[in-house]
Amino acid sequence: MGAINVWNMVKFFTLGDLMLPLENNEIRFLVASNDDVRVIYNDNRLNLMQGDFLILNSKSTRAVEQTKDAILISLFVDGSEDSRKSYGDNIANKIEGCSAYKTSEFDKQLQTCLLNLIRTRTNGEDYIEADVYKNYYEIISLVYKHYIVSDSKEQVQVEKFGNQAKKAYEIRDYVQQNYKKNITLDQVAEHFYLSTPYLSRLFKKIFEISFHKYITNLRIDGALSELINTEKTVTDITFDNGFPNVGSLNTAFKRKYGTTPGNYRLKYKEKKEHEKNAREFVEPTEQMGQLSQLKKTPQSTNSLKVVTDLFTNKWQHLATSWKKVINIGPAGLVGLNVMEKQISQIQAEFKFEYGRIFALFTDEMLMVNSSNQDQFSFSKIDDALEVLLQNGLKPMIELGKKRLNVHMNYSERIYNSASYDFISQNNFSWPAFLESFLKHCIARWGYDEVKEWMFELWLPSQTVSTSGKEFFISEKDLNHYLSMFAATKRSIKKVIPEAKVGGCGLSIDIDSNVTERIINKWQEKVLPDFFSIYLYPQSFKHPQDEQVIQNEIFTDVSIMKNMIDDTKRTMRDTKFVDIPLYVTEWNISISDRNYIHDSLFKADYIIETVLGCANKVEMFGYWQLSDLYGTFGSTPQLLHGGSGLITKDDIPKASFFSFVFLNKLKGNVLYRNDNIIITAEGYKRINILIYNKKNFNSIYHLKKENLLEVARIENAFEDILPLKQIIRLKDIQSGTYRVKKIQLDKKNGDILSHWIEWDQALNLSKEDISYLKQVCRPKLLVQSVKVKDFMDLEVNLDANAVIFYELLHEL
């Protein structure tokens, strides 16, 4: 790569140039030179503080509101052949990023480089030319490594249409590489051994555009690029971009741009000359001066954490409400052999008390005798309940009309089942049917067994059922639910007085406004034995609200703690004051197409959430056990972003091992702070759990959950710095300790990292799956350590990794 003059490749402009089109090799930043710069970007409203940047994509719409306290910085990538090989073409329409919402480590590096260029340009002091080059190339390198956005729609289409979509994208890539040749639909079909009509239909189905229109657009775009960037004649441009003659180019070009190629080139050159002259004199020196005074972000340093006074009388109880229940899913899923195997696997490890299931009384599960509607066949339901009971799980049965939904993201679904309501369809009496079912269960398993079961009745939520199209639960709906609950509880108590019956499964993130209303009205009716809620820490906005970001998931566990505390405050001043609060569902998101669920991060998130929230409620039920629930419409991929602890192919994920670590925290809590918890069983065994959780950054929040790219999963976090620390345990007994260290990181126990290393291979064989089950395990190391007065544990923990220490004092 030849030497260049950097200041010819770096330009500083005012906001007057904001709407100017980007060059193909241009990386343009909008940088706030003061606080509260308000930007509208692709219909999202963002607030930038001083030093924040927004990378502008040439395909995106943008505007700045109410302020001029911002500048534009453009870096032009060297257009040489060597540079194109290193960086690729058309960077301007591939990039995306913003430091305003969450600041990642890459954002900090970019900000530092941009500020260094501004300081050098503004202060006019002597500088080392190599440093300018360094900042210029480091910015380009960071952008290409961490801010490239691929065709995210491809991932969604592959999940939806499977091999058809893969073939379509293969055809599209071939067309993109060969459109400059005079290829036709027939020739492409022949190349891929397909019939012409089939290829035509497939292309339109996947890309929602005809093959002819797609290839014409490619050729027009290619011609446009050469018109404005080269001196080639229109005739040469015509044939070099696959058009059969100049007339066909003129017709297609005029249809799209309203003028001929020759006239467009002439007007463009006049406009560029005007812009060039204008830009030479509008460098925003005042705003650049404000930015040049910003200080650099200090770097973190390693630290020594001293933990003392462990064995005092200030021990805390270790909450285990997370072991009270695990969500299994619809009853029809329980009968699958692989699901039964996974239930057995998870019970062997954790010994959950209850297995929560729903959708028992569907057409699939319940067979009604058409000639005698007072007779029912419970055989399929019996099979599902038997699986739970054989694995030591007491059934927790959701009796409401809970839908079977598979979510792409918070508001879009892959599958949305109809609400089942066999009772009204067949004019059955709900109380009579319920009593019949319970008597059947007692006859089959005995009264002493069935009296331990729990029953929950969900309050149908229009918000949940319609993906946010309705934001109101009427008084009629509340009254109907409370009447239904009263009838349900009376019927159950009539047969099994000891059974617990509760509800109503409010999704606190979207239906929190209903909490006080339902509790106040419930006091006038039959009270529940427990009050149940769902927790998903995501902001769910009214459709009329301004959409600030695409994906507003919160990783801060305080959000969920606040939801619980607010609910308990509402209960405190009512007859609900002594009614236990159950969280029967919780997760970071309801999406079944979010690769965060498959990632190492999920282990840290679960650990932090359980440690922060489980002590506040009597039941804290994770959603959910298996990825099998969300496989509807999935491709032959190993992972698809499901929220289960175990993959559909029966491989434990990082989230599974987080519960393994939590299960090992025996005894009482001796110490809890930030990312460390220490428990002990007497003086002889000490357990230490350490995690290095990272939060999401703007790249994650600026796109929908299901569009997160697998290979760039690390780019979703604010930084990926390791945790380097020495933990000194003082005042522990001297002697020899057997130290067991279990480490979960990208190399040990992270199925997603292994799959990425395998290039996200599809259609894995049984041998491949068996291998992954063996290797995707945390690393175990055991050694003997002699201790006198204190012990030092040296921690070097990668981002989102976990270490568990078990210290056993040997006699």
Side-chain angles (χ1 to χ4, degrees), residues 465-743:
S465 301
T466 60
S467 295
K469 295 178 182 177
E470 301 289 342
F471 275 75
F472 180 72
I473 296 179
S474 67
E475 289 299 301
K476 180 180 178 181
D477 292 335
L478 288 182
N479 288 329
H480 176 75
Y481 170 78
L482 292 175
S483 297
M484 187 70 172
F485 179 84
T488 300
K489 185 175 180 182
R490 289 191 190 103
S491 297
I492 294 175
K493 294 290 188 178
K494 180 180 178 181
V495 181
I496 315 171
E498 297 92 338
K500 291 184 178 179
V501 186
C504 57
L506 279 180
S507 291
I508 296 299
D509 51 337
I510 53 181
D511 284 328
S512 59
N513 60 317
V514 182
T515 309
E516 187 172 356
R517 290 174 59 209
I518 186 70
I519 288 177
N520 287 335
K521 288 194 71 66
W522 215 327
Q523 294 182 95
E524 305 167 7
K525 306 286 184 179
V526 177
L527 294 178
D529 294 323
F530 59 85
F531 185 58
S532 60
I533 60 175
Y534 303 164
L535 294 183
Y536 295 96
Q538 185 163 347
S539 174
F540 196 78
K541 294 183 177 299
H542 192 286
Q544 295 179 354
D545 291 345
E546 294 176 343
Q547 296 295 314
V548 178
I549 51 180
Q550 292 289 337
N551 177 10
E552 201 160 359
I553 287 179
F554 302 101
T555 62
D556 186 353
V557 71
S558 65
I559 301 295
M560 295 179 75
K561 286 193 289 188
N562 292 341
M563 290 179 183
I564 293 172
D565 289 340
D566 289 344
T567 303
K568 292 173 79 171
R569 273 193 293 270
T570 303
M571 297 171 65
R572 195 172 298 143
D573 299 327
T574 69
K575 292 180 181 179
F576 277 55
V577 63
D578 295 322
I579 293 176
L581 178 63
Y582 289 177
V583 176
T584 49
E585 288 184 20
W586 71 269
N587 206 322
I588 193 170
S589 166
I590 59 173
S591 171
D592 296 287
R593 294 296 183 272
N594 185 343
Y595 286 108
I596 286 296
H597 288 309
D598 301 315
S599 71
L600 194 61
F601 160 83
K602 195 63 182 296
D604 288 59
Y605 176 78
I606 287 173
I607 289 170
E608 185 179 62
T609 303
V610 168
L611 294 178
C613 297
N615 64 332
K616 292 179 170 288
V617 292
E618 294 190 26
M619 178 180 285
F620 198 58
Y622 180 77
W623 176 268
Q624 56 195 339
L625 185 152
S626 175
D627 277 354
L628 288 168
Y629 175 80
T631 55
F632 185 91
S634 65
T635 67
Q637 296 179 160
L638 179 72
L639 302 169
H640 60 263
S643 59
L645 301 175
I646 307 175
T647 74
K648 62 184 176 65
D649 295 303
D650 202 30
I651 304 174
K653 299 198 287 188
S655 53
F656 175 94
F657 295 115
S658 67
F659 282 110
V660 171
F661 294 139
L662 289 167
N663 201 41
K664 289 180 177 291
L665 288 175
K666 307 292 186 180
N668 295 301
V669 179
L670 309 185
Y671 179 86
R672 173 83 172 98
N673 185 26
D674 298 332
N675 57 340
I676 301 173
I677 182 171
I678 303 176
T679 67
E681 303 165 83
Y683 294 90
K684 300 300 182 182
R685 186 187 300 270
I686 303 173
N687 310 300
I688 305 171
L689 183 59
I690 310 164
Y691 53 98
N692 185 23
K693 174 175 163 282
K694 303 297 183 179
N695 289 328
F696 298 140
N697 62 17
S698 61
I699 291 184
Y700 184 79
H701 289 282
L702 285 172
K703 60 177 64 179
K704 294 181 178 180
E705 295 177 70
N706 56 299
L707 302 183
L708 183 66
E709 301 158 56
V710 181
R712 298 178 178 272
I713 199 82
E714 285 190 348
N715 296 355
F717 301 103
E718 59 185 2
D719 68 62
I720 54 171
L721 295 178
L723 173 66
K724 295 183 178 180
Q725 201 169 59
I726 295 175
I727 299 175
R728 175 165 294 174
L729 305 177
K730 296 195 68 176
D731 305 323
I732 66 173
Q733 288 185 329
S734 297
T736 301
Y737 284 80
R738 187 187 69 179
V739 179
K740 181 186 290 187
K741 177 184 178 183
I742 309 174
Q743 183 153 338

Side-chain angles (χ1 to χ4, degrees), residues 178-184 212-227 234-257 261:
N178 295 280
Y179 74 88
K180 292 188 177 184
K181 302 174 184 177
N182 191 22
I183 59 173
T184 64
H212 175 73
K213 190 171 183 179
Y214 181 82
I215 197 170
T216 300
N217 286 342
L218 282 178
R219 288 167 173 165
I220 292 174
D221 291 344
L224 175 64
S225 177
E226 293 189 357
L227 280 169
V234 172
T235 301
D236 288 341
I237 290 173
T238 297
F239 295 113
D240 288 348
N241 285 278
F243 286 99
N245 51 62
V246 175
S248 61
L249 170 62
N250 282 338
T251 299
F253 199 91
K254 192 169 184 180
R255 185 181 296 119
K256 186 169 183 178
Y257 293 104

Side-chain angles (χ1 to χ4, degrees), residues 239-410:
F239 295 113
D240 288 348
N241 285 278
F243 286 99
N245 51 62
V246 175
S248 61
L249 170 62
N250 282 338
T251 299
F253 199 91
K254 192 169 184 180
R255 185 181 296 119
K256 186 169 183 178
Y257 293 104
T259 187
T260 64
N263 286 337
Y264 187 96
R265 171 184 268 176
L266 182 62
K267 292 180 180 179
Y268 180 83
K269 285 185 175 181
E270 292 175 353
K271 181 181 179 182
K272 290 297 292 182
E273 187 64 28
H274 173 75
E275 291 170 0
K276 180 180 178 182
N277 294 335
R279 288 187 184 193
E280 291 175 355
F281 302 101
V282 292
E283 195 166 89
T285 54
E286 180 181 348
Q287 290 90 338
M288 291 167 63
Q290 294 170 347
L291 282 166
S292 68
Q293 303 304 313
L294 282 180
K295 297 180 180 180
K296 297 181 180 179
T297 304
Q299 299 295 316
S300 59
T301 58
N302 298 344
S303 62
L304 172 68
K305 181 179 287 292
V306 179
V307 180
T308 187
D309 296 328
L310 286 175
F311 294 98
T312 67
N313 294 324
K314 299 178 182 179
W315 294 356
Q316 299 174 349
H317 173 67
L318 179 63
T320 57
S321 63
W322 64 270
K323 292 182 68 174
K324 190 79 173 176
V325 67
I326 183 66
N327 279 281
I328 308 294
L333 192 66
V334 179
L336 299 178
N337 289 335
V338 64
M339 188 66 184
E340 184 174 354
K341 184 177 179 181
Q342 292 186 9
I343 292 172
S344 177
Q345 177 182 355
I346 209 162
Q347 277 302 89
E349 185 76 46
F350 305 122
K351 304 272 188 308
F352 286 101
E353 186 174 352
Y354 286 89
R356 185 168 175 264
I357 58 176
F358 63 94
L360 271 73
F361 308 132
T362 63
D363 291 337
E364 174 193 3
M365 297 298 295
L366 184 69
M367 295 176 286
V368 181
N369 188 328
S370 58
S371 62
N372 186 346
Q373 294 188 351
D374 291 329
Q375 293 182 358
F376 310 93
S377 174
F378 297 116
S379 59
K380 288 188 177 182
I381 298 175
D382 291 345
D383 290 342
L385 295 175
E386 187 66 34
V387 170
L388 301 185
L389 294 167
Q390 287 295 323
N391 286 283
L393 283 167
K394 301 170 188 175
M396 183 176 190
I397 301 174
E398 167 54 69
L399 295 171
K401 301 169 187 176
K402 188 174 175 63
R403 293 169 179 255
L404 285 71
N405 296 326
V406 178
H407 290 77
M408 292 176 61
N409 51 57
Y410 211 57

Side-chain angles (χ1 to χ4, degrees), residues 63-76:
V64 178
E65 295 182 324
Q66 299 179 358
T67 181
K68 296 183 179 180
D69 291 325
I71 65 173
L72 300 175
I73 305 176
S74 284
L75 275 70
F76 294 86

